[in-house]
């Protein structure tokens, strides 16, 4: 797995991490009682409420948030390298085009666009009341040097990193975060919502989020996209 290492302390509320997300079916995640961690210091919800919150409305143009992280904070990325696109089966396509969705999100059971690949890898977080993925295209910093890869943020591995846990406890004791069981290192720096559909907003985020994060002296954490949006 590719990894971003790190060390400035940022906090963000409103994100929920799915610890052991299981199969996706009909826009719902099969979760157990211990499968959801609250990342914004809210009271625990019933499983009925959690199930309702995982419903995804795919009919509206979904906003896509650009998450950034300080370059010295550890984050765990699970990359997917696209196949050799010189092969005749991929003639006329590019790794970037596949990653951002120019050639469609899926072809049958096969994922093309990056967020769909991350869904298949079960790399979920829970944000704004729905199961989502955090993903981006490029190298591990969102750059375009080297092979273009689909990068999926692994929220669980990032959360479980021992150094991140130590930092979270320190921040919690000092009153800088409300809940240490959070992906406190991620912060929304821009919301892409100018396109007429979710696909367009996601492509804008994939294309522009790395630059947005650099403007804040940060690196890309990923573009948030609901499951089955």
């Amino acid at each position: 797995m590719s990894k971003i290492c790190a060390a400035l302390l940022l906090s963000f509320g409103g994100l929920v991490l799915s610890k052991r997300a299981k199969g996706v079916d009909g826009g719902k995640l099969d979760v157990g009682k211990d499968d959801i961690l609250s990342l914004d210091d809210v009271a625990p919800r019933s499983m009925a409420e959690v199930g309702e919150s995982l419903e995804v409305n795919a009919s509206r143009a979904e906003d896509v948030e650009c998450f950034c992280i300080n370059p010295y904070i550890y984050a765990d990325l699970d990359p997917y390298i696209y196949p050799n696109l010189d092969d005749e089966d991929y003639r006329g396509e590019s790794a970037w085009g596949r990653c951002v969705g120019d050639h469609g999100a899926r072809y049958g059971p096969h994922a093309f666009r990056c967020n769909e690949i991350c869904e298949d890898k079960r790399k979920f977080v829970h944000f704004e009341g729905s199961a989502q993925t955090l993903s981006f295209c490029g190298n591990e910093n969102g750059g375009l040097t080297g092979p273009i890869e689909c990068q999926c943020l692994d929220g669980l591995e990032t959360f479980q990193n021992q150094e991140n846990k130590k930092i979270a406890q320190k921040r919690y004791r000092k009153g800088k975060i409300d809940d240490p069981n959070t992906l406190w290192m991620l912060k929304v720096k821009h919301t892409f919502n100018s396109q007429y559909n979710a696909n367009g907003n996601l492509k804008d985020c994939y294309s522009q989020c790395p630059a947005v994060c650099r403007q804040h002296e940060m690196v890309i954490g990923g573009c948030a996209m609901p499951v089955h949006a």
Side-chain angles (χ1 to χ4, degrees), residues 47-61:
M47 283 301 103
E49 290 173 319
V50 170
E52 290 173 1
S53 73
L54 293 178
E55 295 281 359
V56 177
N57 182 356
S59 63
R60 68 183 182 86

Side-chain angles (χ1 to χ4, degrees), residues 55 77 80 89 120 140 163 169:
E55 295 281 359
L77 298 174
Y80 171 82
D89 291 339
D120 288 354
E140 64 181 18
E163 186 61 27
Q169 289 295 334

Side-chain angles (χ1 to χ4, degrees), residues 13-205:
L15 199 65
V16 176
L17 169 67
S18 175
K19 291 186 66 179
R20 291 183 294 278
K22 301 175 184 176
V24 177
D25 183 18
K28 295 182 180 180
L29 293 181
D30 179 15
V31 296
K33 289 185 178 180
D34 297 324
D35 288 341
I36 297 293
L37 278 175
S38 170
L39 299 189
D40 58 350
D41 198 29
V42 298
R45 295 171 294 172
S46 70
M47 283 301 103
E49 290 173 319
V50 170
E52 290 173 1
S53 73
L54 293 178
E55 295 281 359
V56 177
N57 182 356
S59 63
R60 68 183 182 86
E62 194 68 53
D63 294 348
V64 178
E65 290 80 6
C66 165
F67 281 85
C68 303
I69 185 171
N70 188 274
Y72 300 103
I73 297 290
Y74 174 92
D76 192 282
L77 298 174
D78 190 354
Y80 171 82
I81 301 175
Y82 286 90
N84 183 1
L85 298 182
D86 292 332
D87 187 283
E88 62 180 9
D89 291 339
Y90 303 105
R91 191 170 298 159
E93 299 181 6
S94 68
W96 176 259
R98 278 209 161 193
C99 195
V100 303
D102 286 346
H103 307 293
R106 305 187 71 91
Y107 182 74
H110 304 292
F112 286 175
R113 195 173 62 197
C114 189
N115 73 297
E116 299 287 330
I117 290 171
C118 299
E119 284 187 23
D120 288 354
K121 288 175 172 284
R122 305 295 190 260
K123 303 300 181 183
F124 301 118
V125 296
H126 189 207
F127 175 59
E128 291 189 338
S130 66
Q132 306 205 21
T133 57
L134 289 179
S135 63
F136 62 95
C137 301
N139 60 32
E140 64 181 18
N141 293 319
L144 301 182
T145 57
I148 299 298
E149 299 175 344
C150 166
Q151 306 283 353
C152 305
L153 182 83
D154 190 321
L156 180 59
E157 292 295 328
T158 300
F159 169 77
Q160 289 182 334
N161 176 261
Q162 292 303 308
E163 186 61 27
N164 284 350
K165 284 190 171 184
K166 289 178 183 177
I167 295 172
Q169 289 295 334
K170 289 179 181 178
R171 291 180 64 81
Y172 180 63
R173 288 194 297 268
K174 292 180 179 180
K176 294 183 177 180
I177 58 176
D178 294 327
D179 186 345
N181 295 318
T182 67
L183 290 175
W184 47 268
M185 67 291 292
L186 292 163
K187 191 169 183 66
V188 174
K189 286 298 182 180
H190 190 77
T191 299
F192 292 91
N193 55 12
S194 63
Q195 301 297 328
Y196 68 92
N197 61 26
N199 298 335
N201 289 331
L202 181 62
K203 184 176 179 179
D204 281 355
C205 186

